[in-house]
Amino acid sequence: MNYEVVIGLEVHVELHTQSKLFCACPNRFVPEPNVNTCPVCLGFPGALPRLNSEAVNLALSASLALNCKVASISYFDRKNYFYPDMPKGYQISQFFEPIGSNGFIDIEDDSGNPKRIRVGRVHMEEDAGKLVHSLAGDMSMVDYNRAGVPLIEIVTEPDLRSSGEARKYLEKLKSHLEYVRVSDCKMEEGSLRCDANISLRPKGSDKLGSKTELKNMNSFKAVEKSLEHEIKRQKKILDAGNLVVTQTLRWDDNSQQTVAMRGKLQAHDYRCFTDPELAPIVLTEEEIEKARVSLPEMAEARACRFVEEYGLPDYDAGVLTASRNVADYFEECLKVYNSPKAAGNWIMGELTAKLNSSGQEIEQCPFRPEHLAELLKMIDENVISGKIAKDVLEKSFESGKSPGQVVSDEGLLQISDQSELETIVDTILENNSDSVENYRSGKTKAIGFLVGQVMKETKGKANPQLVNELLKDKLKK
Amino acid sequence: MNLNEMTVVKTAEAVNNQEISARYLIERTLEQIKNNVKLNAFACTAGAEAFEQADAVDQKIKSGYSLPLAGIPLAVGDNIAYKELPTAYGSAAFRKFKPPFSAAAVEKLIGAGAVVVGKINTGDMGFSSHKALSPAGPVMNPWKENRISESPGSAALAARQCMLALESDSEGSLRQGASSCGMYGFRPTPGRVSRYGLNLSSGSYDQVGFAASTATDMGITFQATSGYDERDILTSVSREAGPKPDPNKAPGEITLAFSPECFDQLDSISAKHLKQFQAKCLDLGFKVVESSLKLLPEALKAFYIIAYAEASSSFARFDGIRFGTAAEADELEDLYYKTRKLTFGHEARRRSVFGTYILSKGNFEQYYQQALKVWTLVRQDFNNAMANCDFLVMPVVSGAAPSGIEENDFLQRIESDIFTAPVSMACLPSLALPAWQEDGLPAGIQLVGHPFSDEILLNVAEMINTETIFPDTDKSAWEEG
Ligand SMILES: [Zn+2]
């Protein structure tokens, strides 16, 4: 039978704040357990929560970036359940009235047509701690460093129809959240976590089939793969005339399959009610509007502008705007250098390669946009050759020195002095009479070899254009 | 100097003038606690740390400082954090637990010169001894054998085992205990005094309050503790102080309202006394009017539904994993069962079970959400009742100090909160002050004010100026002074 796949995603994103949601403990990863804790985030009797306004601002920006309607008044509720990683025996979350609702993200479906994915809600909540099990398996310990870290949960309507769409949605979501500087959205590091609800139904039916929930996927690739795997599994069950059992499955990266989660199957009654220890979040029309106008230009708009304003090819514009930091770097460079295409090429090529190999982020690397501009100007003005420029970038990146400094320190100035080059060219012609003969007998390719020899002699510093001209001139004689 | 019936004001003055030392006061107080241990008011008493504090106060005064509560022996509720002494929450699992911080009000009182002489024996999880027993049993009433005090601080105060007590008030135990011990018990407007450090069972209703022996003492205590505290967001309403009382205001410019529905809820003897008190107010020159409070019975039910629901959630943190004594168990679920059984007495268990039921699917709409609606109506009811007066004068309880607790009549015990719990719900400041005696037992009335009228309320209480009487005790460590 032909089935339609129905997928909904629940994404948890860690908000990039200085401190935790309800206390002053730092929101930062540390390897030592229970260092970033205090009576509030450990749930001590008598310690009271205090809302972090930075977290509210980020949640507000995220809601607006996802085109949500922002609630002028929203509440914090207690979601009650026992687990050792949950210090108070309840999680503070927004159950009844989320800060954001009825938003959307536009993606392309598998055939490249535009498609709108509805975002049902964006709500704030606190993270739990982490259970650590001893190697011998005889002990469980709890690390509360993460307890109370601010999260937003972003829930889609069941609008996704394939694993590919799910992946595209996640990529778009990540880009949006990075652009508003809400989170670094690193799935591998847990700052973005994704659960998926998936069911199949006969094509044309509008009744939802019984669904399974997928957890423990630690990359976008894993989300896509586990969904594909689950689609096949459910199809097989349905084809055999059986019913899919509603359950929670865990993606196992090693065996590349979904495994049923152990533990009792129980329907939770979280007994939610509004937390009497916290005041509601009240946002005035002006505050919401102020946040809306201060939203940055998002990736799509920026890419369009790059094409129009800088004449970049669509592809380049797409790559350069995928991350806000890269796009900012690019435009920063263009403030003092006016060849967008060259700047883009160097960022996408040499700089990206260098960043990847050194494991650094563009916003932190010592090679600043003004350095790139300086480097590109030196090429344009024939101060150094393109080849040398690559070495200069490398050295500048390593040392933090400006490219000009590197060139003068290392004596890499391009030789553009005609008489100096003529002497060298003459010597090369004398020593390579075979090639000279070849050239003169019509094998014009031989000039390449001669240029190479000159470059070798000058350690790459000779102005290649001038060398070419000189050679051609002398070979004619 | 006979310190037997000294007030906080007079005592602090004597300490500030170096007529007596803080150390001496603490010695006498600790002896007085020993003299009457069968009162059972203290869960634990202070030792060396109290003398250190007292010496520090004496030292400060010698170097020229003057402190509003210099050397005043202070008793602190066992559900309020004080890092120098075990804070047991009336629970066997916390007998040796020292919290990592002290409550904001404790810090402020110590800063004003008070010295903590011990933790008072609150019931299970800090509930009234009237409803809940700590492992140490009930706190007795110093006025009469076999009677208890709903507020251990008031019992200690009446027995002169402290001069000031810091306690919590939710459904009204502080005011009730003050009333049945003949003392003053004050529940300030929510947000005026920081709750940081109070183990909250109900975030909606629990407040910190004080027991003292005069209205003036209450006034300086309130002044020393009220104000904004960044650790309790509720106090952001207190960034500015409440309206100041006008010292020239005569009783004739103040309107007190009595509610006919309150009389209906009282037994005949209490009703008779309240009528006499009303006449006394007229004699003093106050304007007296009638104001109707229509929703007291409904308020009481809604109060308990919400308080139970919140308690069931607030107590979930007592899981034996981060603090307190954890039970031996092999399985996680077993750990929860056993630890919580060890931690909670009957009342906390009752609230956990009822609260869980109230919040469960299906019941939530029927009970909890209905109760929230009633809450709104109750606030309106009080608003209306207070529209034509400055203060409401209400009973605290019907009848006198209750006798010892029996586990099976908790519904009846809830009914005794009909005058106090609705006032807590309405978020109004309320002071219990001594009003009459019947059959050797004192009883009080509550003076209920508009929100944030705390200072004026305490000032009017001074104008009413009822005499504080202490019960006779066999032996007093104070008379030797
Ligand atoms: Zn913390």
Side-chain angles (χ1 to χ4, degrees):
Chain A
M1 207 203 282
N2 253 338
Y3 297 102
E4 181 178 48
V5 176
V6 179
I7 298 169
L9 296 181
E10 288 169 18
V11 175
H12 286 88
V13 174
E14 270 178 13
L15 297 178
H16 208 300
T17 52
Q18 289 292 312
S19 51
K20 291 186 179 181
L21 187 50
F22 298 115
C23 62
C25 289
N27 173 14
R28 194 181 323 122
F29 176 80
V30 279
E32 309 93 289
N34 298 311
V35 178
N36 291 342
T37 56
C38 72
V40 176
C41 57
L42 290 176
F44 271 69
L48 296 164
R50 196 166 27 132
L51 180 60
N52 173 355
S53 58
E54 190 192 3
V56 177
N57 290 337
L58 292 184
L60 169 61
S61 299
S63 300
L64 293 171
L66 304 178
N67 308 298
C68 286
K69 182 183 173 310
V70 173
S72 56
I73 178 158
S74 63
Y75 300 85
F76 283 106
D77 307 302
R78 293 183 181 180
K79 188 173 164 183
N80 295 289
Y81 66 96
F82 283 102
Y83 204 64
D85 66 3
M86 185 64 69
K88 297 180 294 299
Y90 57 82
Q91 180 193 30
I92 302 178
S93 180
Q94 294 192 296
F95 181 78
F96 297 104
E97 200 68 59
I99 186 164
S101 57
N102 295 319
F104 61 84
I105 286 184
D106 288 328
I107 62 162
E108 281 176 1
D109 68 13
D110 291 340
S111 19
N113 298 316
K115 177 166 180 181
R116 179 157 288 188
I117 307 302
R118 289 172 299 158
V119 172
R121 59 189 284 149
V122 174
H123 72 246
M124 302 178 72
E125 61 186 30
E126 56 176 348
D127 208 346
K130 229 181 223 166
L131 281 192
V132 184
H133 303 284
S134 69
L135 286 174
D138 57 346
M139 225 193 333
S140 294
M141 289 156 289
V142 205
D143 175 6
Y144 292 105
N145 279 341
R146 212 181 60 186
V149 161
L151 301 176
I152 46 173
E153 183 175 341
I154 301 150
V155 186
T156 70
E157 299 295 341
D159 289 352
L160 297 156
R161 292 289 171 269
S162 73
S163 58
E165 284 185 17
R167 186 186 175 134
K168 278 183 205 152
Y169 165 82
L170 287 172
E171 279 164 357
K172 264 286 169 66
L173 177 68
K174 179 182 155 106
S175 156
H176 278 54
L177 296 178
E178 272 181 352
Y179 259 75
V180 290
R181 303 238 190 272
V182 154
S183 173
D184 54 12
C185 292
K186 287 191 178 129
M187 208 166 174
E188 289 78 3
E189 290 170 21
S191 61
L192 185 151
R193 284 164 250 161
C194 173
D195 298 337
N197 287 303
I198 171 165
S199 64
L200 265 53
R201 63 183 171 197
K203 264 224 161 81
S205 160
D206 52 6
K207 212 173 130 246
L208 288 170
S210 56
K211 66 176 181 188
T212 55
E213 190 181 358
L214 301 182
K215 283 182 183 290
N216 197 44
M217 301 159 295
N218 57 8
S219 64
F220 288 177
K221 185 129 206 94
V223 173
E224 198 174 7
K225 275 191 174 167
S226 60
L227 284 170
E228 270 160 27
H229 181 275
E230 185 56 16
I231 291 166
K232 276 191 206 131
R233 195 187 70 88
Q234 289 194 13
K235 192 170 181 319
K236 218 171 178 178
I237 294 171
L238 294 173
D239 280 343
N242 295 321
L243 281 174
V244 171
V245 180
T246 301
Q247 61 182 331
T248 303
L249 301 161
R250 186 172 60 83
W251 174 247
D252 185 56
D253 229 8
N254 295 324
S255 63
Q256 295 280 302
Q257 55 184 327
T258 52
V259 198
M261 296 251 277
R262 268 177 297 166
K264 264 185 261 175
L265 191 75
Q266 51 181 352
H268 266 294
D269 181 354
Y270 291 116
R271 308 187 310 279
C272 294
F273 70 103
T274 299
D275 194 324
E277 294 173 16
L278 283 158
I281 303 174
V282 179
L283 294 166
T284 62
E285 211 43 63
E286 294 80 61
E287 284 168 316
I288 298 170
E289 228 14 73
K290 206 176 140 205
R292 195 191 308 278
V293 295
S294 59
L295 278 186
E297 181 186 26
M298 303 300 273
E300 288 155 61
R302 205 167 187 183
C304 289
R305 182 166 62 80
F306 279 15
V307 171
E308 274 175 33
E309 198 174 321
Y310 305 131
L312 291 181
D314 286 346
Y315 176 81
D316 292 15
V319 174
L320 289 171
T321 54
S323 145
R324 177 172 170 190
N325 289 331
V326 173
D328 284 352
Y329 190 103
F330 172 71
E331 293 209 273
E332 201 56 41
C333 177
L334 291 192
K335 280 185 188 162
V336 282
Y337 177 72
N338 56 12
S339 171
K341 178 73 187 154
N345 282 342
W346 276 78
I347 291 170
M348 293 187 292
E350 297 306 315
L351 183 59
T352 302
K354 191 66 200 155
L355 288 169
N356 288 342
S357 66
S358 69
Q360 291 194 68
E361 302 290 338
I362 196 162
E363 66 274 21
Q364 285 140 6
C365 84
F367 193 72
R368 305 312 310 144
E370 56 276 16
H371 292 149
L372 179 61
E374 188 184 341
L375 184 76
L376 297 177
K377 274 186 204 160
M378 284 195 286
I379 301 172
D380 293 353
E381 289 161 7
N382 290 326
V383 179
I384 53 171
S385 68
K387 189 169 176 302
I388 290 285
K390 290 182 187 175
D391 294 344
V392 174
L393 185 149
E394 174 106 20
K395 292 201 167 90
S396 176
F397 192 104
E398 302 286 336
S399 65
K401 287 185 200 164
S402 74
Q405 190 71 42
V406 171
V407 167
S408 76
D409 285 2
E410 310 264 331
L412 297 172
L413 272 186
Q414 182 157 288
I415 306 169
S416 301
D417 182 87
Q418 182 132 3
S419 61
E420 193 185 340
L421 277 182
E422 245 183 277
T423 324
I424 300 166
V425 166
D426 287 343
T427 320
I428 295 295
L429 291 177
E430 229 165 83
N431 296 342
N432 296 280
S433 46
D434 295 357
S435 302
V436 175
E437 281 313 307
N438 285 342
Y439 180 86
R440 288 187 172 143
S441 61
K443 293 179 182 160
T444 49
K445 272 188 185 164
I447 199 169
F449 173 76
L450 293 168
V451 171
Q453 290 306 106
V454 175
M455 294 313 271
K456 200 174 160 190
E457 186 64 30
T458 58
K459 300 200 175 76
K461 288 187 284 182
N463 179 335
Q465 236 174 320
L466 202 55
V467 172
N468 248 307
E469 281 166 27
L470 279 172
L471 277 172
K472 278 186 188 158
D473 206 40
K474 290 191 185 278
L475 287 166
K476 270 185 214 157
K477 287 171 189 165
Chain B
M1 186 184 303
N2 187 351
L3 287 167
N4 204 17
E5 288 176 9
M6 289 275 277
T7 63
V8 167
V9 178
K10 283 184 199 159
T11 309
E13 198 182 297
V15 175
N16 279 319
N17 293 336
Q18 298 183 43
E19 291 161 31
I20 45 167
S21 68
R23 174 172 267 269
Y24 173 77
L25 282 170
I26 301 314
E27 278 169 3
R28 296 291 93 194
T29 306
L30 291 174
E31 198 183 320
Q32 179 71 353
I33 294 170
K34 272 192 213 130
N35 279 346
N36 196 354
V37 280
K38 63 178 195 297
L39 195 63
N40 205 19
F42 283 83
C44 71
T45 47
E49 66 285 339
F51 289 109
E52 263 170 48
Q53 269 178 33
D55 291 347
V57 168
D58 287 330
Q59 205 53 49
K60 262 194 149 173
I61 284 157
K62 278 196 188 111
S63 53
Y65 285 93
S66 170
L67 297 164
L69 298 175
I72 298 304
L74 166 72
V76 176
D78 209 15
N79 55 341
I80 297 173
Y82 177 48
K83 63 177 186 226
E84 306 297 338
L85 286 177
T87 295
Y89 311 108
S91 163
F94 282 80
R95 216 169 288 166
K96 290 179 184 149
F97 175 71
K98 279 192 185 176
F101 57 92
S102 291
V106 173
E107 282 175 354
K108 283 199 166 177
L109 290 167
I110 292 175
V115 178
V116 180
V117 291
K119 298 302 297 280
I120 35 180
N121 178 18
T122 47
D124 171 28
M125 281 292 128
F127 295 121
S128 155
S129 324
H130 183 35
K131 302 196 187 66
L133 284 182
S134 77
V139 175
M140 304 315 292
N141 191 309
W143 283 92
K144 207 168 191 175
E145 289 275 310
N146 300 322
R147 297 294 180 117
I148 61 146
S149 165
E150 303 90 329
S151 139
S154 296
L157 193 64
R160 283 149 288 175
Q161 296 182 334
C162 65
M163 284 193 175
L164 198 59
L166 171 68
E167 284 188 292
S168 66
D169 184 280
S170 191
E171 61 262 29
S173 58
L174 168 61
R175 287 164 281 161
Q176 291 169 14
S179 166
S180 66
C181 291
M183 297 290 123
Y184 286 76
F186 185 41
R187 175 190 170 94
T189 307
R192 291 304 306 275
V193 179
S194 171
R195 301 192 289 183
Y196 186 77
L198 166 65
N199 174 30
L200 291 181
S201 155
S202 160
S204 292
Y205 304 135
D206 294 2
Q207 294 296 333
V208 291
F210 313 94
S213 58
T214 71
T216 318
D217 287 358
M218 197 62 87
I220 51 166
T221 306
F222 179 71
Q223 204 186 349
T225 49
S226 59
Y228 175 63
D229 172 23
E230 60 166 18
R231 295 164 299 180
D232 178 2
I233 48 145
L234 202 59
T235 60
S236 50
V237 297
S238 287
R239 281 222 166 85
E240 289 146 40
K244 285 276 163 296
D246 175 359
N248 300 317
K249 210 164 192 181
E253 297 168 76
I254 296 162
T255 309
L256 305 178
F258 287 73
S259 153
E261 290 85 353
C262 287
F263 283 98
D264 297 345
Q265 296 283 347
L266 285 175
D267 66 27
S268 57
I269 295 170
S270 302
K272 178 195 81 190
H273 282 297
L274 187 62
K275 267 270 173 285
Q276 284 167 3
F277 187 83
Q278 190 174 345
K280 181 191 166 184
C281 289
L282 273 170
D283 286 348
L284 286 168
F286 289 103
K287 265 191 223 153
V288 171
V289 297
E290 253 190 19
S291 258
S292 180
L293 282 170
K294 298 187 177 66
L295 291 175
L296 294 177
E298 290 75 13
L300 183 64
K301 286 174 201 149
F303 178 98
Y304 269 97
I305 287 170
I306 291 165
Y308 280 171
E310 291 181 4
S312 73
S313 165
S314 299
F315 291 164
R317 72 191 64 212
F318 293 97
D319 58 5
I321 288 170
R322 290 162 308 283
F323 35 73
T325 311
E328 284 286 323
D330 296 328
E331 294 268 310
L332 183 60
E333 209 150 292
D334 210 30
L335 172 77
Y336 288 146
Y337 285 134
K338 288 182 176 160
T339 301
R340 289 170 68 77
K341 196 169 173 188
L342 180 73
T343 306
F344 299 136
H346 281 279
E347 183 65 15
R349 283 182 219 173
R350 175 151 50 226
R351 293 195 185 211
S352 291
V353 171
F354 282 2
T356 302
Y357 175 82
I358 287 162
L359 291 173
S360 298
K361 229 169 244 160
N363 300 332
F364 178 76
E365 295 76 10
Q366 197 185 341
Y367 295 111
Y368 185 78
Q369 289 192 316
Q370 280 301 113
L372 289 183
K373 285 180 197 159
V374 173
W375 189 1
T376 308
L377 296 175
V378 168
R379 294 178 80 142
Q380 274 170 16
D381 194 31
F382 272 88
N383 265 344
N384 296 341
M386 296 201 71
N388 63 341
C389 70
D390 298 304
F391 297 95
L392 277 172
V393 178
M394 292 174 70
V396 181
V397 285
S398 177
S403 52
I405 167 167
E406 283 151 39
E407 276 305 331
N408 53 6
D409 62 350
F410 78 96
L411 274 178
Q412 196 192 323
R413 295 181 192 280
I414 283 175
E415 272 169 25
S416 66
D417 299 331
I418 192 156
F419 304 115
T420 49
V423 173
S424 304
M425 251 188 148
C427 300
L428 303 172
S430 167
L431 176 77
L433 53 113
W436 61 80
Q437 294 234 352
E438 172 73 36
D439 194 19
L441 278 167
I445 56 97
Q446 323 177 61
L447 195 59
V448 179
H450 289 274
F452 305 108
S453 69
D454 306 66
E455 284 89 348
I456 303 174
L457 188 155
L458 295 171
N459 184 246
V460 170
E462 280 183 70
M463 292 160 81
I464 294 173
N465 188 29
T466 50
E467 192 193 352
T468 309
I469 308 168
F470 289 88
D472 290 329
T473 45
D474 305 340
K475 191 178 165 195
S476 172
W478 292 111
E479 275 155 13
E480 290 151 27

